[in-house]
Amino acid sequence: IAGITQAPTSQILAAGRRMTLRCTQDMRHNAMYWYRQDLGLGLRLIHYSNTAGTTGKGEVPDGYSVSRANTDDFPLTLASAVPSQTSVYFCASSIESGEKLFFGSGTQLSVL
Amino acid sequence: GNSVTQMEGPVTLSEEAFLTINCTYTATGYPSLFWYVQYPGEGLQLLLKATKADDKGSNKGFEATYRKETTSFHLEKGSVQVSDSAVYFCALSDRGGATNKLIFGTGTLLAVQP
């Protein structure tokens, strides 16, 4: 099935725990992105990668890290989760940066 | 910096009513403009886009015209349906520097009642 797969769909996490959100795409898109969606704030870019092997910081990168070892995978890691990281996280990809984005179905994360 | 401002919701309409969701932007240069739609429980998907001034994007009965003079990209539809109920996001492509990332507005919830 072509598209973007995110896992898990939802997660409840204790504060201080480490968590990795997974994102895989099979469209061979060069660019990938992580956004968080919060009520009243819309989508805010956390990190992005224009091509495999490179990453960059978005609008709200603190407390998050990413890696892009290959074209298909773009995991997002919370090293030590805090309650303010409770959000819905969307992974997205595009053929090239700035072009049409394709979104995954999201991960609902609750940090208690 | 570049930014997008869109009207706050929720917008509640009856079926077959006319829809306008306002969107204005601030940008240096000439960004591309987008409308994305998010149906309940799903990720966002592109609805329409316009890449230069006076371009009109259209899809599924929705339209938006890139107005450089008013820095606007308002979304319109002549007759909404219950199935149009969703959250609508205006966005622009930030071509500053080496990152062509999208900047989104805060979203507008549309609820269409039968």
Side-chain angles (χ1 to χ4, degrees), chain A residues 35 37 45 48 90 98 101, chain B residues 36 38 89 98-102:
Chain A
Y35 286 88
Q37 183 179 23
L45 182 65
Y48 65 93
F90 286 100
L101 294 187
Chain B
Y36 278 79
Q38 183 181 30
F89 291 89
T99 65
N100 288 340
K101 58 187 181 291
L102 288 191

Side-chain angles (χ1 to χ4, degrees), chain A residues 35 37 40-43 45 48 50 90 97-101 103-105, chain B residues 34 36 38 42-44 46 49 89 93 98-102 104-106:
Chain A
Y35 286 88
Q37 183 179 23
L41 297 176
L43 275 79
L45 182 65
Y48 65 93
N50 286 336
F90 286 100
S97 60
E99 295 300 319
K100 171 184 176 181
L101 294 187
F103 282 82
S105 54
Chain B
F34 305 81
Y36 278 79
Q38 183 181 30
E42 299 182 9
L44 281 72
L46 180 66
K49 73 173 188 179
F89 291 89
S93 65
T99 65
N100 288 340
K101 58 187 181 291
L102 288 191
F104 288 88
T106 54

Side-chain angles (χ1 to χ4, degrees), chain B residues 78-93:
Chain B
S79 177
V80 295
Q81 304 301 311
V82 172
S83 58
D84 294 326
S85 298
V87 182
Y88 293 82
F89 291 89
C90 186
L92 66 80
S93 65

